[in-house]
Amino acid sequence: LKEDGGLTLAQSHAILRYVSKTRFDCKMFEPENEATINECLDWQLLRLRPTIATVLRFDRIRGSSLVDAPSVSVQSLVGKADGTDPRDVVRTTFDMVEDMLERRGGFLTGSEPSIADISASCEVEQFALEHESLVNEYSGMKKWLKYFRSIEAYNEAHHGLRRQHDKIVDKSAKGSFVKALRGGAIDT
């Protein structure tokens, strides 16, 4: 984000906070609401994003989805010596999301969507590209994603992601995922 006056922001959560504070008149930034939103944004960066990224990397290393039992060590990917199945790590994290949605009224920070919901839904959307059935095991999360998927701008923003995913899957299925990353199918 580059604003008149020289302000430049590159980090997504900083951009979300700035835009919502400067362009919208909302109760999101009353102290109690802001604290809950910041807690969710921090949780997303510390738990949700790393969990999803790790599992998606695990999928790529194995060359398939999580449908089959893991065939490589999870220890190096999730830092656990017990060989935990990545599905269990995701389910534990999604249990937390489901609990927040239920306790707080349908969204992560209350009964209305916030910037924390926008950001987290984008993370879950990436995961759902390959694991929609696992996401759909969570009724609250399924309803929550359905809300965001009903927004035209959300779908427009994810169109490129879906297109890139399809290219990666196609290249990966042909055994050339690394080649695709190094210059074949990935648009930058």
Side-chain angles (χ1 to χ4, degrees):
L1 172 70
K2 192 169 193 167
E3 287 282 293
D4 293 338
L7 175 66
T8 301
L9 298 172
Q11 204 282 329
S12 60
H13 288 174
I15 293 167
L16 284 169
R17 287 180 179 115
Y18 176 79
V19 168
S20 61
K21 280 186 174 187
T22 59
R23 299 191 184 159
F24 299 102
D25 181 27
C26 60
K27 62 182 181 181
M28 196 180 320
F29 294 100
E30 294 171 3
E32 187 174 309
N33 294 339
E34 186 171 9
T36 303
I37 289 168
N38 286 332
E39 176 187 49
C40 284
L41 289 171
D42 290 348
W43 178 85
Q44 180 206 335
L45 288 175
L46 296 171
R47 178 66 186 245
L48 183 63
R49 181 176 290 173
T51 298
I52 288 172
T54 297
V55 170
L56 292 178
R57 273 193 307 273
F58 185 79
D59 285 353
R60 289 294 151 237
I61 289 169
R62 288 185 52 237
S64 65
S65 70
L66 292 175
V67 174
D68 304 317
S71 60
V72 299
S73 170
V74 181
Q75 180 179 356
S76 62
L77 297 171
V78 296
K80 296 198 174 196
D82 63 1
T84 301
D85 186 322
R87 289 172 286 212
D88 296 336
V89 178
V90 170
R91 283 191 172 98
T92 299
T93 302
F94 284 2
D95 286 344
M96 293 176 191
V97 173
E98 190 79 359
D99 180 61
M100 281 188 262
L101 294 171
E102 185 179 311
R103 279 187 302 114
R104 294 179 173 163
F107 294 97
L108 295 176
T109 62
S111 60
E112 297 177 1
S114 71
I115 60 176
D117 292 284
I118 294 168
S119 184
S121 67
C122 292
E123 299 289 343
V124 173
E125 188 71 49
Q126 291 177 53
F127 185 81
L129 285 171
E130 293 196 30
H131 304 289
E132 185 82 29
S133 62
L134 197 149
V135 173
N136 286 338
E137 291 177 19
Y138 297 87
S139 60
M141 197 165 13
K142 184 177 175 180
K143 182 179 177 183
W144 175 71
L145 271 181
K146 184 178 179 182
Y147 170 84
F148 286 102
R149 288 172 175 171
S150 72
I151 300 169
E152 185 178 341
Y154 182 89
N155 288 314
E156 288 173 12
H158 287 89
H159 175 75
L161 176 67
R162 289 182 190 104
R163 195 178 85 235
Q164 293 296 8
H165 171 265
D166 293 344
K167 287 180 181 182
I168 290 170
V169 168
D170 183 53
K171 291 288 184 180
S172 181
K174 294 176 184 172
S176 58
F177 176 70
V178 174
K179 183 178 177 185
L181 286 176
R182 290 190 177 143
I186 311 299
D187 295 334
T188 54

